[in-house]
Amino acid sequence: LMLATDMHDRIMAYIRNNSGFEPKRAYLGMSHLSECPADLYLAFQEGNTATEASHRMAYLGYAIEYIEKDILVKTGVLRSMGREIVAEFDPRVRGHIDGETVDGDLVEIKSVSKVKYDQVEATGKALRSHFGQVQAYMHFGGYKHAEIVYVCREDFRHYVVHVPYVQGVGEQIEAKARRVLAARRRQ
């Protein structure tokens, strides 16, 4: 007879081992370039602490992303998935996009809490960090438009936000990435 605690431990071990959470990367991730430069520097230098919560959230996020990509392919929206973008000025600045529409626009899938989903739906605008993320991808990947597909984790509602490329924002993000890399070289 398997005890409930044993079953729980097996589930959590599986999630930890298969979450996709990366505590340390050998590159500066484009998905975080809109964050504070000091935080970017520390994460690049030392990595992020893996917790039970970070593993659970990564696992759930990737699971929803997988489901959503399947829906977008089957509805004729998505033409390609998972391309890596590398900054021309330094290969240590890179990002992985979720996909491209059949029209060649960037697609970013975000599974969010009900509170965040309601905020997006009420304003019709991307959350600040997601706006910055797609601006980085568009800047370094040559896209002019992005579609952020928001999925509510609690009830699977969907809301899509169109985000045009803003050159000035892209240039600010690139300048920040250059400063973080320069600070790392000075060590």
Side-chain angles (χ1 to χ4, degrees):
L1 180 68
M2 184 178 300
L3 297 175
T5 54
D6 183 42
M7 187 181 295
H8 175 267
D9 292 347
R10 287 183 188 200
I11 291 167
M12 291 315 301
Y14 180 86
I15 289 171
R16 268 192 310 278
N17 293 328
N18 295 281
S19 71
F21 179 78
E22 296 175 291
K24 184 147 173 72
R25 294 177 171 170
Y27 61 90
L28 189 57
M30 289 179 191
S31 61
H32 297 284
L33 287 180
S34 66
E35 296 174 10
C36 165
D39 292 344
L40 287 171
Y41 176 83
L42 285 173
F44 191 33
Q45 198 69 8
E46 299 171 15
N48 296 306
T49 304
T51 64
E52 290 291 316
S54 62
H55 283 295
R56 288 192 315 268
M57 295 307 291
Y59 191 90
L60 180 60
Y62 284 122
I64 291 173
E65 180 183 314
Y66 176 83
I67 292 167
E68 201 60 33
K69 284 179 179 178
D70 185 55
I71 292 170
L72 293 173
V73 167
K74 288 179 177 171
T75 56
V77 172
L78 215 55
R79 76 165 176 205
S80 67
M81 294 178 269
R83 176 167 88 90
E84 181 177 58
I85 298 172
V86 180
E88 288 182 22
F89 72 91
D90 194 313
R92 293 175 300 167
V93 178
R94 49 185 68 225
H96 300 84
I97 66 166
D98 291 337
E100 293 177 357
T101 68
V102 293
D103 298 325
D105 290 345
L106 173 68
V107 173
E108 182 61 27
I109 299 165
K110 291 295 181 191
S111 60
V112 294
S113 68
K114 182 182 182 311
V115 170
K116 288 184 178 180
Y117 182 91
D118 289 344
Q119 180 183 345
V120 169
E121 192 175 55
T123 63
K125 294 181 179 179
L127 297 175
R128 186 176 181 275
S129 62
H130 301 155
F131 176 83
Q133 179 180 2
V134 297
Q135 290 298 322
Y137 289 159
M138 287 189 284
H139 181 76
F140 295 111
Y143 297 97
K144 296 297 178 204
H145 302 276
E147 310 304 330
I148 303 177
V149 180
Y150 283 97
V151 182
C152 181
R153 287 192 297 261
E154 282 87 351
D155 60 15
F156 208 57
R157 285 181 293 159
H158 287 68
Y159 194 88
V160 180
V161 176
H162 175 80
V163 179
Y165 173 58
V166 181
Q167 185 175 347
V169 173
E171 290 169 353
Q172 289 172 353
I173 288 170
E174 180 175 335
K176 185 190 301 184
R178 288 178 184 268
R179 286 192 311 273
V180 170
L181 293 173
R184 191 158 191 241
R185 277 193 296 275
R186 284 195 296 268
Q187 266 202 337

